[in-house]
């Protein structure tokens, strides 16, 4: 069938599927057949139907027919609950199965679509931990106060930001939760609030706090102060963003002096700035006046400070009376987070000599874990008769600013919350988020740390053999390229090749669908050293390697095509099969040439982004110019600064603290339309002086594991009755391979009792000392000596009909004996990783774990090359990846599912006889994995070389509390610092 006929059939198919959009999917073939006949599109209707299913089954995303079908399936996947969705949830296999059933697709077609149109990852919901507070931000209140700024911001996101319905809905819901936690601005009594919003690195936190500002303005807040990072570049970036998306063209033009060009007159995006049609006050709303501009941070106003004075329409009523707020203009101040700047604001406001008690103030602190947190030790001694310093200058300035206003609302935003969560909760003047903490959901099209690892895979992602079997479905194999040693010229040259090839692919896809991927910016980041002197050397090296790669030569173009075939195409097929791909060399070649031209005509090609004055002009302005450059830098690229279009990263820089290292991960962010093209070149053997080489990939992995554990625990306890409170969060911050933040930001906090009912506990942090290992084996032998083991093969099927199995030597021991084994297990110099578990298992009669016995499953790997003799048994040993001072994981999903069934947590279908026989109530399950590191290659392992990896599964109990807490405060000797709720 020729292309013209195929396109006509695609038009009919689109009309039919569009007609189903609101009511949901329905039998498609009969409807398409009827339309083809009625419209006389073709004389061979049967042939047209076969053509549709043939195209869909091939799965070529470049064809209109496949693109149309894929688009509607994704819409139905993500649709909210309605009549047709029955009891299925969004973005689940159950929803997809229902869609295919309603469309009446054949089995082969459905299977093909499962592969070519994978189910997108769910947005999820924001998790809120908050003290009890008044429910004031209701639908009725929104109607009464009019959602002027929020409704226009939402419209801007849809029209200019290309946000879809689901994304705006998630933003609406998550920001409603923040506003609800603030104090009602018209409330007669003042109630200051301190809160924290936790997102992911480079994940759209600015959009969230812009929405919060818009809704807060609508609700009655009239002074908004944004602390926009510690660098001028970050302040400018934030000011421009708020001007563009919230302030709008009319209010920017109002602020300009007569005859002067406005500050954005040369900005090519000026017409994309939001527009209200006229000034808001002319539409019955209130104006938003800027005190700072994109070209100027806050300057002392002196006699001009009256611009900060709030007018009252009704002088006899307080400013925060609804009648006054409705008419009063709002003020917006965007400042650098520097004590000198903050103190200028404080000085001018104090100079007004008017009561500030009635002013509803919202302070947004972007990157709130940086500079804001007090790092002065309150126990420090006075020195030389001088007064004791109790706060850092920046922290004191922020605290002083908030203290000026009795109605101040402080909301910090961060992606690395450890420092904020570990603020001393007993310091009532500090910034501990005492009122609420919100964890934002992971957004769609976002690539974060977990996208470069294989945490959800039922295999060992650092085992080369297993990764090879999994192919490019492995995130590590797909996106990560290792740099071994201090540097590697050939790897660096390959990284440059990937930069041009990925740029060509973006242009190729944009030519097919301009809405799919943006080609305005395409960047590569080289982050090798923090020292500024090294950056110029890096630029010269990049320029030299660009010349050596000879991109204008025919051989270079052919080399890039080979790179596409061997690297990029397999990754694209595995990770993003629905995105367009070239069929042959001639189809891609013109776009390679186009990518080279864009780069070669760019300003300076290779830019250095650091704090030196002679490099100031190198700072790319992503708002005012198209950026197709390679960026080299250090601290300025480490936090907050967004590198737009970032696709290739070459990373070799080390850091001591987890939050610092996470913030250096500039390769995280939104990658709509080119996720499969992203590549991370990262050092895995970075020299560290006399120490062992540093594996940065493993460092990030350790951080991510701790971060996901933190989020999971917060989410779990937020749903309990009573739910967790912000004061109870500090003990949940994991102490990982790196300290979570600098030591001078940490305060001691402790969990008294944690209820492990219906949960699994596992720790990879173990002792690697030979005598400790041997002692653990001895303790295991003592526990099992009197109990005859059974070789058992247990199996069942999960909800998605996947077979789950466990082959092990089974022992049954009483609860007391098992606790003694845990108490004797040696973890090395660290405190026992299972201390909370042991405390739980030793609970009082009122808090009994309700476990009478433990099923011990000693596993072995039959195909293992390494064997271990344990008593009369020869056991195949598991190889696992070691990350720093811990094993990444011991257990496997298929084994954990069997353990959950044995403990009565989640039931598998079709259990075999062995699984049925050993399933009992009031029974815990301990999986034990004899383990050696991946690189261990001996045929036989001794007790001194074997690590006993433990994975514990606990049955349900009737303890009402999930967790009990004790927060230690160095100055306040109470269990909790209580505070009246709003």
């Amino acid at each position: 069938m020729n292309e013209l006929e195929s396109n006509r059939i695609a038009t009919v198919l689109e009309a039919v599927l569009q007609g189903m959009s609101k009511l949901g999917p329905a039998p498609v073939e009969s409807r398409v057949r009827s339309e083809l006949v009625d419209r006389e599109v073709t004389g061979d209707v049967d042939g047209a139907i076969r053509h549709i299913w043939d195209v869909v089954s091939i799965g070529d995303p470049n064809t209109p027919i496949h693109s149309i079908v894929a688009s509607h399936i994704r819409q139905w996947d993500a649709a909210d609950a309605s009549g047709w969705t029955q009891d299925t949830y969004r973005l689940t296999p159950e929803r997809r199965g229902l869609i295919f059933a309603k469309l009446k697709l054949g089995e082969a077609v459905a299977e093909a679509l499962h592969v070519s149109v994978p189910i997108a990852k769910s947005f999820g919901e924001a998790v809120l931990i908050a003290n009890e507070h008044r429910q004031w931000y209701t639908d009725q209140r929104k109607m009464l106060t009019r959602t002027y700024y929020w409704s226009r911001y939402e419209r801007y996101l849809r029209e200019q930001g290309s946000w879809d319905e689901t994304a705006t809905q998630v933003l609406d819901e998550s920001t409603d939760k923040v506003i609800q936690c603030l104090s009602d601005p018209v409330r007669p009594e003042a109630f200051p609030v301190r809160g924290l919003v936790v997102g992911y690195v480079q994940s759209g936190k600015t959009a969230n706090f812009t929405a919060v500002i818009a809704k807060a303005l609508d609700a009655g807040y009239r002074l908004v102060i944004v602390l926009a990072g510690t660098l001028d570049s970050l302040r400018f970036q934030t000011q421009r963003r708020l001007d563009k998306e919230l302030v709008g063209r009319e209010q920017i033009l109002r602020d300009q002096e007569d005859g002067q060009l406005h500050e954005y007159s040369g900005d090519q995006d000026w017409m994309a700035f939001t527009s209200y049609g006229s000034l808001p006050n002319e539409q019955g709303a209130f104006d938003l006046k800027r005190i700072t501009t994109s070209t100027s941070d806050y300057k002392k106003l002196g006699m001009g400070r009256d611009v900060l004075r709030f007018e009252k329409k009704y002088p006899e009523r307080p400013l925060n009376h609804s009648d006054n707020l409705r008419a009063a203009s709002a003020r917006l101040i965007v400042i650098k987070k520097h004590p000198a700047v903050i103190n200028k604001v404080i000085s001018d406001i104090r100079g007004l000599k008017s009561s500030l008690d009635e002013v509803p103030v919202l302070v947004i602190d972007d990157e709130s874990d940086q500079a804001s947190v007090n790092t002065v030790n309150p126990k420090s001694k006075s020195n030389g008769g001088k007064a004791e310093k109790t706060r850092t200058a920046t922290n004191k300035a922020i605290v002083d600013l908030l203290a000026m206003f009795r109605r101040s609302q402080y909301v910090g935003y961060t992606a690395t919350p450890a420092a904020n969560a570990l603020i001393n909760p007993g310091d009532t003047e500090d910034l501990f988020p005492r009122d609420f903490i919100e964890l934002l959901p992971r957004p769609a099209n976002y690539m974060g740390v977990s996208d470069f690892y294989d945490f959800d895979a039922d295999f060992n992602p650092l085992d080369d053999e297993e990764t090879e079997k999994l192919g490019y479905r492995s995130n590590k194999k797909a996106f990560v390229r290792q740099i071994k040693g201090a540097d590697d010229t050939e790897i660096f040259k390959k990284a440059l090749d990937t930069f041009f090839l990925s740029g060509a692919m973006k242009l190729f896809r944009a030519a097919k669908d301009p809405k799919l991927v943006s080609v305005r910016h395409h960047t590569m980041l080289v982050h090798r050293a923090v020292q500024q002197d090294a950056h110029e050397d890096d630029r010269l090296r990049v320029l030299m390697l660009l010349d050596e790669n000879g991109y204008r030569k025919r051989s270079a173009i052919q080399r890039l095509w080979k790179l596409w075939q061997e690297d990029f195409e397999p990754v694209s097929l595995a990770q993003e099969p629905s995105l367009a791909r070239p069929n042959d060399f001639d189809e891609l070649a013109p776009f390679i040439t186009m990518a080279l031209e864009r780069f070669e005509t760019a300003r300076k090609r290779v830019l250095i982004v650091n704090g030196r004055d002679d490099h100031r002009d190198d700072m790319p302005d992503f708002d005012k110019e198209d950026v197709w450059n390679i960026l080299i830098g250090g601290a300025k690229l480490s936090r907050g600064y967004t590198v737009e279009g970032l696709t290739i990263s070459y990373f070799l820089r080390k850091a001591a603290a987890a939050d610092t290292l996470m913030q250096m991960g500039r390769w995280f962010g939104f990658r709509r339309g080119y996720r499969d093209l992203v590549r991370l070149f990262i050092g895995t053997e970075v020299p560290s002086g006399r120490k062992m080489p540093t594996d940065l990939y493993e460092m990030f992995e350790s951080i991510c594991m701790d971060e996901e554990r933190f989020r999971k625990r917060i989410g779990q306890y937020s749903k309990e009755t009573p739910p967790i409170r912000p004061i109870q969060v500090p003990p949940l911050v994991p102490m990982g391979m790196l300290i979570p933040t600098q030591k001078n930001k940490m305060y001691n906090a402790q969990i008294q009792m944690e209820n492990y009912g219906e949960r699994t506990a596992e720790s990879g942090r173990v002792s690697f000392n030979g005598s400790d290992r041997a002692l653990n084996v001895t303790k295991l032998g003592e526990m099992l000596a009197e109990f005859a083991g059974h070789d058992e093969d247990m199996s069942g099927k999960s909800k998605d009909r996947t077979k789950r199995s466990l082959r092990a030597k089974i022992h049954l021991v009483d609860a007391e004996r098992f606790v003694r084994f845990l108490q004797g297990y040696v973890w090395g110099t660290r405190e026992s990783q299972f201390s909370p578990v042991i405390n739980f298992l030793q609970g009082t009669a009122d808090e009994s774990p309700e476990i009478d016995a433990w099923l011990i499953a000693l596993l072995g790997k039959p195909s293992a090359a390494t064997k271990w003799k344990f008593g009369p048994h020869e056991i195949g040993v598991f190889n696992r990846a070691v990350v720093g001072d811990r094993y990444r994981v011991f257990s496997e999903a298929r084994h954990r599912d069997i353990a959950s069934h044995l403990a009565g947590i989640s039931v598998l279908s079709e259990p075999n006889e062995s699984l049925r026989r050993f399933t009992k109530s009031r029974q815990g399950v301990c999986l034990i994995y004899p383990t050696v590191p991946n690189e261990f290659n001996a045929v036989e392992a001794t007790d001194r070389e074997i690590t006993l990896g433990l994975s514990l599964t606990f049955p349900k109990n009737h303890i009402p509390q999930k967790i009990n807490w004790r927060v230690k405060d160095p100055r306040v000797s109470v269990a909790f610092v209580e505070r009246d709720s709003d």
Side-chain angles (χ1 to χ4, degrees), residues 341-613:
V341 180
I342 299 171
N343 285 326
K344 288 177 185 177
V345 177
I346 293 174
S347 175
D348 278 340
I349 292 175
R350 281 178 177 159
L352 295 174
K353 297 182 179 179
S354 59
S355 174
L356 304 176
D357 292 351
E358 301 169 1
V359 182
V361 179
L362 173 64
V363 176
I364 299 291
D365 187 355
D366 194 15
E367 305 292 348
S368 61
D369 62 312
Q370 184 189 34
S372 304
V373 178
N374 185 30
T375 57
V376 173
N377 187 344
K379 291 184 177 181
S380 62
K381 304 292 184 181
S382 299
N383 185 15
K386 296 181 180 179
E388 180 182 344
K389 182 179 180 182
T390 59
R391 300 196 182 280
T392 60
T394 302
N395 176 263
K396 183 179 186 303
I398 297 173
V399 169
D400 289 347
L401 175 67
L402 295 172
M404 293 175 64
F405 303 95
R406 294 182 62 229
R407 300 177 186 276
S408 63
Q409 315 289 297
Y410 171 87
V411 183
Y413 277 77
T414 183
T416 47
N420 302 87
L422 292 171
I423 291 172
N424 177 17
D427 187 347
T428 56
E429 294 182 350
D430 209 347
L431 305 178
F432 179 79
R434 63 198 179 200
D435 296 290
F436 73 91
I437 300 174
E438 183 183 49
L439 273 64
L440 298 178
R442 175 192 169 91
N445 298 314
Y446 173 75
M447 287 191 77
V449 183
S450 59
D451 291 273
F452 296 88
Y453 296 89
D454 297 288
F455 296 113
D456 297 327
D458 190 9
F459 78 111
N460 181 10
L462 297 185
D463 184 319
D464 291 338
E465 181 180 347
E466 293 288 348
T467 305
E468 190 67 34
K469 291 177 184 176
L470 193 70
Y472 286 101
R473 286 185 292 123
S474 157
N475 290 334
K476 179 195 175 189
K477 187 173 181 183
F479 304 120
V480 180
R481 304 294 176 262
Q482 298 181 47
I483 307 170
K484 296 187 176 181
D487 215 334
D488 189 311
T489 298
E490 291 306 311
I491 292 292
F492 207 154
K493 291 172 73 172
K494 184 177 181 180
L496 295 173
D497 278 356
T498 62
F499 171 66
F500 288 108
L501 178 58
S502 58
M505 277 301 303
K506 287 184 182 179
L507 294 168
F508 168 80
R509 287 175 179 166
K512 292 187 173 294
D513 182 359
K515 294 181 180 180
L516 176 66
V517 58
S518 171
V519 294
R520 182 177 178 186
H521 308 303
H522 176 61
T523 52
M524 173 179 174
L525 169 64
V526 177
H527 202 150
R528 192 182 63 85
V530 68
Q531 296 84 3
Q532 293 179 348
D533 291 343
H535 299 159
E536 191 63 52
D537 293 339
D538 286 341
R539 170 152 56 188
L540 295 174
R541 185 181 181 210
V542 169
L543 292 172
M544 178 188 70
L545 295 180
L546 287 171
D547 289 340
E548 289 183 13
N549 277 356
Y551 289 106
R552 284 297 179 182
K553 298 177 182 178
R554 178 71 176 175
S555 59
I557 305 297
Q558 291 174 334
R559 185 178 72 244
L560 294 185
W561 175 247
K562 183 179 180 182
L563 180 62
W564 163 257
Q565 290 178 306
E566 295 179 352
D567 186 329
F568 279 73
E569 185 175 35
V571 172
S572 182
L573 285 167
Q575 294 281 343
E576 296 288 345
S578 61
L579 295 178
R581 295 177 294 278
N583 294 311
D584 53 42
F585 173 79
D586 292 336
E587 194 174 4
L588 181 61
F591 296 99
I592 295 177
T593 302
M594 195 182 304
L596 291 171
E597 290 173 351
R598 287 210 176 196
F599 176 73
E600 290 174 349
T601 56
R603 177 176 62 89
K604 285 182 85 169
R605 296 194 299 169
V606 182
L607 306 176
I608 296 178
V609 183
N610 61 23
R612 274 179 35 176
D613 289 341

Side-chain angles (χ1 to χ4, degrees), residues 58 96 162 185 192 216 245 330 596 711 765 796 838 865 957:
I58 292 171
R96 177 62 70 86
S162 300
E245 301 179 2
L596 291 171
R711 287 177 176 273
R765 291 195 178 90
I838 295 170
N957 60 55

Side-chain angles (χ1 to χ4, degrees), residues 217 221-223 286-290 310 328-332:
L217 292 171
Y221 284 90
R222 288 297 176 262
L223 175 58
F286 58 91
D287 287 351
L288 176 58
K289 297 180 179 179
R290 301 180 306 154
F310 291 90
S329 298
R331 273 70 167 176
L332 174 65

Side-chain angles (χ1 to χ4, degrees), residues 947-960:
T947 293
L948 297 178
L950 309 180
S951 178
L952 278 57
T953 302
F954 304 82
K956 182 179 180 179
N957 60 55
H958 293 87
I959 300 174

Side-chain angles (χ1 to χ4, degrees), residues 131-138 180 184 982:
N131 294 333
E132 292 185 8
H133 50 268
R134 292 181 182 177
Q135 301 295 315
W136 65 273
Y137 193 64
T138 62
Q180 180 61 68
D184 184 349
D982 188 7

Side-chain angles (χ1 to χ4, degrees), residues 794-797 901 907-916 919:
M794 305 178 185
S795 66
K797 290 187 177 178
H901 184 100
V907 178
L908 299 173
S909 62
E910 302 179 31
N912 67 358
E913 189 278 332
S914 179
L915 182 56
R916 287 195 301 271
T919 300

